[in-house]
């Protein structure tokens, strides 16, 4: 069974903390994504990566960075967490060809206080 | 620019009633289209997808969707809704560029089911 695993389901962090969200996939997918989900806004792409050490900005990259040192792992980093980054974060992976769907993790609900 | 519109934010139906969730897209080429479902507190699960061929696509859990190029639509349907279908539904279009692909999502439609 294919799987995308996010390291935490729930996180509570303080304003100004550096926060790491980890994602691992076991499907040998080239592409990995970080989305942010907020009510009424759907899923918005933060960053994506199409290869190890490669990354591209999505629609809302401000305040975030990413790291992909290994093919199976994609990390989202909040350099200095702020309350407006309280949200649900979803990781996904997909094959390099355009006709395959993305597989999603269970999500991490981050609260910044 | 590519975009996806789901006009209905909330829909409530009675159990056993039919369902149609609307999705309109804006995309310059032939689109790859997807419907995902998200149960409370969960990630997204693929219901069905359209890439080419037959414009009526069958998915899991008794769902189907029809691609209508003339209307730029990809509406999701189910003939008889079950209480367990209560969830949020997302339509997405696949965008390929530079050898990699990404999904652009609509805002979602939250479905409530009355007993």
């Amino acid at each position: 069974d294919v799987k995308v695993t996010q390291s935490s389901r729930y996180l509570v962090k303080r304003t100004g903390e550096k926060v790491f969200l980890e994602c691992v996939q076991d499907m040998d997918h080239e592409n990995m994504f970080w989305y942010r989900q907020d009510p009424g806004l759907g899923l918005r792409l933060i960053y994506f990566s199409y290869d190890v050490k490669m990354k591209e900005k999505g629609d809302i990259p401000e305040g975030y960075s990413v790291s992909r040192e290994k093919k199976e792992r994609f990390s989202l980093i909040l350099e200095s967490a702020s309350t407006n980054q309280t949200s649900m974060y979803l990781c996904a992976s997909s094959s390099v060809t355009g006709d395959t769907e993305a597989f999603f993790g269970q999500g991490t609900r981050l609260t910044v206080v | 620019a590519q975009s996806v519109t789901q006009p209905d934010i909330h829909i409530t139906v009675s159990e056993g009633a039919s369902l149609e969730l609307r999705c309109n897209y804006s995309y310059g080429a032939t689109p790859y289209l997807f419907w995902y479902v998200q149960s409370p507190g969960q990630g997204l699960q693929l219901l069905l997808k359209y890439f080419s061929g037959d414009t009526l696509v069958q998915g899991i859990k008794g769902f189907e969707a029809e691609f209508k190029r003339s209307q730029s639509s990809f509406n999701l349907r189910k003939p008889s809704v079950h209480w367990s279908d209560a969830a949020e539904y997302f339509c997405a279009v696949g965008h390929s560029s530079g050898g990699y692909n990404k999904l652009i999502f609509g805002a979602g439609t939250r479905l409530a089911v009355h007993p």
Side-chain angles (χ1 to χ4, degrees):
Chain A
D1 196 17
V2 297
K3 189 168 285 188
V4 178
T5 304
Q6 295 183 228
S7 55
S8 303
R9 291 294 303 273
Y10 301 95
L11 276 178
V12 180
K13 297 291 182 181
R14 295 192 181 279
T15 301
E17 276 193 79
K18 190 170 186 176
V19 181
F20 293 85
L21 303 183
E22 308 286 345
C23 176
V24 177
Q25 52 97 2
D26 65 0
M27 294 166 281
D28 201 36
H29 282 164
E30 296 83 2
N31 298 331
M32 296 189 74
F33 309 85
W34 276 105
Y35 288 91
R36 171 176 171 160
Q37 182 181 11
D38 299 289
L41 297 177
L43 279 72
R44 294 179 292 168
L45 183 63
I46 305 171
Y47 267 96
F48 65 99
S49 169
Y50 52 92
D51 201 352
V52 175
K53 298 189 183 294
M54 306 304 289
K55 60 184 179 183
E56 290 285 338
K57 292 180 180 179
D59 300 317
I60 52 165
E62 296 79 17
Y64 303 95
S65 63
V66 291
S67 173
R68 193 169 182 197
E69 297 296 319
K70 294 184 177 182
K71 190 175 185 180
E72 67 272 18
R73 186 179 297 272
F74 192 36
S75 302
L76 179 69
I77 304 158
L78 285 66
E79 296 291 343
S80 177
S82 64
T83 55
N84 62 14
Q85 292 178 309
T86 292
S87 187
M88 170 73 95
Y89 291 87
L90 291 163
C91 175
S93 71
S94 72
S95 176
V96 69
T97 56
D99 59 351
T100 58
E101 71 269 24
F103 294 85
F104 283 82
Q106 294 287 79
T108 296
R109 183 164 295 282
L110 172 68
T111 302
V112 182
V113 298
Chain B
Q2 300 82 13
S3 65
V4 177
T5 301
Q6 293 180 247
D8 305 306
I9 298 173
H10 293 280
I11 284 183
T12 300
V13 299
S14 298
E15 191 168 17
S18 63
L19 172 70
E20 183 169 28
L21 303 183
R22 295 183 291 166
C23 173
N24 293 97
Y25 66 90
S26 172
Y27 192 71
T30 300
Y32 299 137
L33 294 162
F34 306 83
W35 275 100
Y36 284 85
V37 61
Q38 185 182 36
S39 299
Q42 302 297 313
L44 273 68
Q45 180 184 19
L46 181 72
L47 282 175
L48 47 76
K49 58 188 177 185
Y50 170 80
F51 297 141
S52 64
D54 193 348
T55 57
L56 185 62
V57 180
Q58 301 298 321
I60 62 170
K61 305 185 181 186
F63 285 91
E64 66 178 26
E66 186 171 13
F67 169 59
K68 293 186 177 180
R69 185 186 300 275
S70 61
Q71 298 177 19
S72 297
S73 70
F74 189 55
N75 293 349
L76 182 71
R77 300 194 294 247
K78 187 169 184 178
S80 177
V81 171
H82 188 263
W83 64 266
S84 61
D85 293 324
E88 190 155 22
Y89 292 80
F90 292 94
C91 181
V93 62
H95 171 59
S96 292
S97 174
Y100 47 82
N101 59 302
K102 58 181 179 178
L103 293 176
I104 298 168
F105 285 86
T109 297
R110 185 169 296 279
L111 174 67
V113 180
H114 278 326

